[in-house]
Amino acid sequence: MFLLSLAASFKDLKIFIYELPSQYNEDWLSNKRCSNHLFAAEVAIHRALMNTYDLRTFDPYEADFFFVPVYVSCNFSTVNGFPAIGHARSLLSSAVQLISSSYPFWNRSQGSDHIFVASHDYGACFHAMEDRAIADGIPEFMKNSIVLQTFGVNYKHPCQDVENVLIPPYIPPESLRKTLEKAPLTGNRDIMVFFRGKMEVHPKNVSGKFYSKRVRTEIWRRYSGDRRFYLQRHRFAGYQSEIVRSVFCLCPLGWAPWSPRLVESVALGCVPVIIADGIRLPFPSAVKWSDISLTVAEKDVGRLGRILEHVAETNLSTIQKNLWDPAVSKALLFNDQMQEGDATWQVLDSIYNKLDRSYRRRSRVSSQ
């Protein structure tokens, strides 16, 4: 009933999508990774909104919100292959200059009814290192707008000091479907605790910061020889087949607190073990995180084995029952064609609750 009532409510919501020159978005798609890597929510949300005909308007004067489709995560480094976002500020600034000089809508509201996606380590601060991200801050031209971002913490932080909606990182739904075709959600789980990823034996000090605050190093040091733990430090393209075999999946912080492992674990039925103090999680009204996951303080990583053993002996079956509800994983996945209850739907629910930022609505009220 809740979702059905939202469907009726959304009929009043109108979003205008700027048609920017291709160098701001489409040109980047020549690299297939652009639409499939962990930051690709910027592409997925754009595609879903383009296909959401009931909500999209081609008349900007009847729009409540304006979506600015700029892809900044597809400039992959030739050195390490990771997304390089050093150009993000200039590309976004150029887009804002274009729309503010071509249309009246940005200037009339100072951008407060405009929506951007910043699906990066530290959101609209556009840097992977926290100290640099904080020093750079959010660009002035974006500070009045709404930012859809993967970064979120439950304390004051300069990189979330903007009207924001917390979104999940992007995981291709097709890859998850193929994994589940080979190994069902409720199938045999012969791995108790799983983690595959960067675990440095001697973490590097970058600008005074240690990678993962040494949490991953501590996990490797304490549990690499523990038969309950399946820990791997190297990349493996088929790692989702390991997640679907696992009972608990570790989701420790990296440089930033969030991780794509959160979404993959939920979608593949492995209980996420969140080790990232102060992390804020997406769509809490749709995903009851306390019912489907475990949270372990960074300082308690040395007790991880005992904590997980206790859960396995007590309430594991209840957590798994909650976790395996299809609506839970659906809420964290983006689809090219929006589906009722999926991640784009959750974004629109959050946007709908911000209608007080709509210039059109405010103008209508003031004229009555």
Side-chain angles (χ1 to χ4, degrees):
M1 289 296 295
F2 174 68
L3 292 177
L4 290 174
S5 66
L6 278 182
S9 300
F10 282 173
K11 290 179 182 178
D12 296 329
L13 179 67
K14 294 297 179 183
I15 298 176
F16 179 78
I17 304 170
Y18 285 108
E19 294 187 13
L20 298 175
S22 61
Q23 66 261 33
Y24 292 101
N25 40 61
E26 291 296 318
D27 286 355
W28 295 101
L29 295 176
S30 59
N31 186 327
K32 289 186 178 180
R33 285 184 64 200
C34 184
S35 57
N36 286 298
H37 68 126
L38 77 163
F39 295 157
E42 60 186 8
V43 180
I45 293 171
H46 183 205
R47 285 178 173 172
L49 292 179
M50 293 275 282
N51 293 327
T52 309
Y53 303 109
D54 288 346
L55 304 180
R56 183 184 180 190
T57 179
F58 292 90
D59 178 2
Y61 287 95
E62 70 170 21
D64 294 301
F65 296 102
F66 298 79
F67 185 76
V68 188
V70 182
Y71 305 163
V72 303
S73 302
C74 300
N75 183 27
F76 298 105
S77 167
T78 55
V79 177
N80 58 25
F82 296 136
I85 55 174
H87 68 303
R89 292 168 182 268
S90 59
L91 192 65
L92 284 160
S93 175
S94 171
V96 168
Q97 288 175 3
L98 179 63
I99 63 177
S100 62
S101 60
S102 304
Y103 298 88
F105 311 108
W106 176 274
N107 293 329
R108 73 181 186 182
S109 69
Q110 299 302 303
S112 66
D113 49 7
H114 283 57
I115 302 168
F116 296 87
V117 182
S119 51
H120 320 102
D121 294 76
Y122 289 97
C125 284
F126 300 114
H127 203 282
M129 297 299 299
E130 186 174 19
D131 53 347
R132 279 289 306 277
I134 291 174
D136 293 345
I138 297 170
E140 284 295 327
F141 62 84
M142 290 178 69
K143 285 187 175 179
N144 290 328
S145 300
I146 301 169
V147 178
L148 313 181
Q149 60 185 54
T150 44
F151 172 69
V153 288
N154 56 22
Y155 51 88
K156 187 172 176 59
H157 194 289
C159 297
Q160 63 181 10
D161 192 16
V162 63
E163 190 73 22
N164 65 83
V165 175
L166 194 65
I167 62 173
Y170 181 80
I171 301 296
E174 181 67 13
S175 69
L176 298 167
R177 186 184 64 78
K178 289 180 178 178
T179 299
L180 290 171
E181 282 177 354
K182 297 174 183 176
L185 201 68
T186 56
N188 181 41
R189 294 186 178 266
D190 59 330
I191 299 172
M192 180 178 172
V193 189
F194 172 74
F195 180 78
R196 182 181 286 276
K198 186 176 179 182
M199 288 179 286
E200 297 188 357
V201 178
H202 304 289
K204 299 171 185 175
N205 181 328
V206 180
S207 302
K209 303 285 186 178
F210 285 99
Y211 183 69
S212 189
K213 298 182 184 175
R214 290 197 175 105
V215 166
R216 296 193 190 188
T217 300
E218 188 69 5
I219 290 171
W220 178 258
R221 188 179 74 82
R222 285 182 176 267
Y223 301 110
S224 59
D226 190 320
R227 294 176 62 182
R228 299 169 298 177
F229 285 71
Y230 183 82
L231 305 177
Q232 300 293 327
R233 298 172 60 207
H234 304 291
R235 292 173 179 268
F236 168 47
Y239 69 95
Q240 286 186 359
S241 64
E242 298 171 322
I243 295 175
V244 80
R245 289 171 50 201
S246 303
V247 177
F248 298 105
C249 286
L250 304 185
C251 302
L253 72 161
W255 285 121
W258 64 271
S259 163
R261 293 175 185 85
L262 275 171
V263 176
E264 289 173 308
S265 300
V266 171
L268 296 173
C270 182
V271 178
V273 182
I274 302 165
I275 312 171
D277 293 355
I279 188 173
R280 191 159 54 97
L281 297 166
F283 309 143
S285 61
V287 180
K288 305 301 182 186
W289 288 97
S290 60
D291 294 343
I292 66 160
S293 66
L294 303 175
T295 299
V296 176
E298 294 166 16
K299 67 178 177 60
D300 291 335
V301 74
R303 299 175 49 234
L304 201 50
R306 279 176 287 164
I307 292 171
L308 298 183
E309 283 282 6
H310 176 71
V311 172
E313 294 168 359
T314 54
N315 61 332
L316 174 61
S317 59
T318 301
I319 296 172
Q320 288 178 323
K321 182 181 178 182
N322 296 330
L323 177 63
W324 295 346
D325 179 349
V328 173
S329 59
K330 187 175 190 178
L332 300 178
L333 296 175
F334 294 99
N335 299 287
D336 285 355
Q337 298 281 346
M338 186 182 76
Q339 299 175 17
E340 191 171 306
D342 75 358
T344 305
W345 180 279
Q346 305 300 336
V347 167
L348 289 173
D349 180 24
S350 300
I351 293 296
Y352 193 76
N353 289 325
K354 300 180 187 297
L355 274 174
D356 60 331
R357 299 176 69 87
S358 165
Y359 179 90
R360 181 175 76 98
R361 303 270 175 148
R362 286 187 281 113
S363 299
R364 183 190 299 169
V365 170
S366 62
S367 64
Q368 291 176 349

